[in-house]
Amino acid sequence: TGAMESYLLSLEEQTVEIDDLNTAFTFRKFEPIHVETSYKYLHSQVEKLAADARFKILKNYSDRRGYFINSLWQAD
């Protein structure tokens, strides 16, 4: 699917309070906390996604090996 998920693990049982939200979250020891899902696409898939959504690609930024692309789009 090209999906990559990132998790944090609570190293101990704990409660985290967020005063501004007037709430608290309790975590068990080693409980996984899902923080991100990102999707990886081939260059051709990025071009199709942009075209299908009626955007034009202004620039693609890539790592030295060409493994990853960050793509800057503009509404057409």
Side-chain angles (χ1 to χ4, degrees):
T1 66
M4 185 165 92
E5 296 182 350
S6 297
Y7 293 86
L8 295 175
L9 289 178
S10 180
L11 296 180
E12 59 188 44
E13 188 170 313
Q14 60 181 308
T15 299
V16 177
E17 296 181 17
I18 302 177
D19 294 335
D20 287 346
L21 297 178
N22 196 30
T23 193
F25 300 92
T26 302
F27 301 99
R28 297 181 312 275
K29 186 173 183 174
F30 300 119
E31 179 177 355
I33 303 160
H34 182 237
V35 294
E36 175 191 16
T37 301
S38 63
Y39 293 85
K40 308 302 180 207
Y41 298 96
L42 298 172
H43 189 270
S44 59
Q45 292 172 307
V46 171
E47 289 177 343
K48 182 171 177 5
L49 285 168
D52 289 351
R54 297 185 183 159
F55 279 79
K56 75 175 179 180
I57 297 175
L58 295 181
K59 183 163 179 137
N60 287 321
Y61 301 89
S62 183
D63 64 303
R64 284 187 209 137
R65 295 184 216 169
Y67 290 165
F68 301 98
I69 295 172
N70 285 317
S71 190
L72 178 61
W73 297 4
Q74 180 180 41
D76 220 5

